Amino acid sequence: MYLGGIVRHARTQNTTKLEEKPEYALALLFVPVVCHYCLLHIPSEDLKERKPHRYLVVIPEIKDFEDASQRRWGLQQLETKQFHVSSLGEAGLLYYSLDDIQPEVGYYQACQVWLYEKTNKASRQRTLMSIEEIEIDKNILITYQQVQKYFKTNYQIIKYKQIFIKVNLIRSLIADNLVKGIHWWSNFWEKLVIEDSKEYLFNQLFSNREGFIKMAENSEEDKQYLIFIKVFQQAMKGNFAKLYAKTEEGKDPPIKKRVERLRAELNYCYDELSFKEYLSDFLVRGGLNKYFNEHQEEIALLIKKSPWQEIRIWSLLAIASYKPKDKPTNRDDSSLPNDQKLEEVNDGSEEE
C-alpha cells in the first residue's frame, strides 16, 4: 500500500525501504481499514487501447473509527467493476453511497480523492498528480443514490485472456456536477458536445435514457422538461415519418444521418434568438403535435422563462433518448390519422 504522503520510499534493487522514522509508517496500517481504491478512466480514451492504470484513493474524514471501518467493510462486498469511474467526484460519492440517510437527521461527510498516475520507472512507484476536496451533504448523496439506481451500471467485456470494464461515463459526469454543487445536468452541453469530439459520451445517452426520465420525474423542478421532451420527440416522429415516405421500398431511410443533422442544427444555435428560431421552425416541420396542443401554455412559458441554454440541453437529451414504437406491419399507413401514423412509425433510431 503506497500513498506517498506519509513516508518516503527508496528502491534498492528489487526491494524498497523507508527513509522516514518507523513511527510515521504506522499511519499506513490504518489505510486499508478506512481508505479505498478506484480506477479512473478518461472518457476520450478508446477502450481497446491499453493504458497505464490511474488509481484514485479516497481518504475520508474520520469522525468515528468504528463507523469508518464498517463503511469500508460494506464497500468490500461490492463488485470490483463498480469501482471503475471516470471522475474524481464519483469516487468520493461512491465511498459513501451505502450510507442510510434518515430524512430527519442531518448528514455531512468530507473526504479527499488522490489521483496517482504515470509510473516512475526508476522507483516503480506512481506519482501523485492531483488532490480534490469533496464535501457531501444529504441532498447530494440522496441524488447520487438515485443516479446509481436509475442509470446503467458498469459492465465487463470478457475476451480471450482479457477483461475490459465498460464504464458508464454519464453517471460519472452527473456525480461530478453534484460534488461541484450544480444541478445534475448543468454542463451537459459543454461535456457532450464541445468536449466530446469522438462522441464517446453522446453515444451513451441512448442507453441511459430511462435514467434521465426517472431523474426528471423525481424532481419537481425538472418535471416541466419531460413535457418539452415529449413535444420535441413528437416533432422528430413527424420529420422521420416524412423521411420514410420519401424512401424507396426495400431501402432503409438515412435515419442516423438525420439524427446527426439535428444535433448539428443545435450546434449552430449560438444565442437565444437563433435557438428560438430553430426550435420554432423544427416544431412546425414536425406537423401535428398532440403534446404541444395539450400543453401550449406550459411549453410557451417554459421557453420564455428558462435560459435558452437549458432548453438546448434538453433538446439534445430528447434527440439522444428518442425511442420510437415498432414499425406497424401488414397495414396500410395511409388509412391512419396523421397523429396515429406519427405515433407508430419506427425510424430505426433504437439501435445503439
Side-chain angles (χ1 to χ4, degrees), residues 14 23 34 50 64 132 139 147 161 165 186 232 279-280:
N14 292 326
E23 55 266 29
V34 295
R50 190 174 182 84
D64 185 296
E132 183 168 327
N139 292 332
V147 172
K161 294 183 178 181
I165 302 294
S186 292
F232 196 98
L279 183 60
S280 300

Side-chain angles (χ1 to χ4, degrees), residues 266-319:
L266 279 178
N267 291 348
Y268 294 141
C269 300
Y270 53 87
D271 60 14
E272 183 176 8
L273 180 60
S274 62
F275 172 72
K276 289 185 176 180
E277 286 179 347
Y278 159 74
L279 183 60
S280 300
D281 179 68
F282 175 74
L283 294 178
V284 170
R285 285 188 280 119
L288 180 64
N289 194 317
K290 62 178 183 180
Y291 294 112
F292 186 76
N293 291 336
E294 293 172 0
H295 304 280
Q296 290 185 35
E297 293 184 5
E298 294 174 69
I299 294 300
L301 192 61
L302 178 67
I303 295 174
K304 181 179 179 180
K305 290 193 172 184
S306 300
W308 70 275
Q309 296 94 333
E310 292 185 6
I311 306 297
R312 185 176 61 175
I313 289 175
W314 287 93
S315 299
L316 179 69
L317 296 179
I319 293 173

Side-chain angles (χ1 to χ4, degrees), residues 295-349:
H295 304 280
Q296 290 185 35
E297 293 184 5
E298 294 174 69
I299 294 300
L301 192 61
L302 178 67
I303 295 174
K304 181 179 179 180
K305 290 193 172 184
S306 300
W308 70 275
Q309 296 94 333
E310 292 185 6
I311 306 297
R312 185 176 61 175
I313 289 175
W314 287 93
S315 299
L316 179 69
L317 296 179
I319 293 173
S321 62
Y322 177 57
K323 182 182 179 181
K325 293 185 178 181
D326 294 334
K327 183 179 179 181
T329 57
N330 300 325
R331 184 187 298 181
D332 182 7
D333 285 351
S334 61
S335 64
L336 297 174
N338 287 337
D339 58 340
Q340 191 173 350
K341 284 191 289 184
L342 297 183
E343 190 68 31
E344 296 182 348
V345 67
N346 178 6
D347 58 24
S349 64

Side-chain angles (χ1 to χ4, degrees), residues 230-277:
K230 290 182 179 180
V231 170
F232 196 98
Q233 291 183 342
Q234 186 70 22
M236 289 177 66
K237 290 181 181 180
N239 281 281
F240 292 163
K242 296 175 184 177
L243 189 63
Y244 262 93
K246 295 178 181 179
T247 303
E248 297 181 12
E249 185 176 354
K251 294 185 177 181
D252 295 326
I255 295 299
K256 186 175 181 180
K257 290 184 178 180
R258 181 58 64 90
V259 170
E260 286 301 315
R261 180 179 173 181
L262 290 179
R263 187 185 179 197
E265 288 173 351
L266 279 178
N267 291 348
Y268 294 141
C269 300
Y270 53 87
D271 60 14
E272 183 176 8
L273 180 60
S274 62
F275 172 72
K276 289 185 176 180
E277 286 179 347

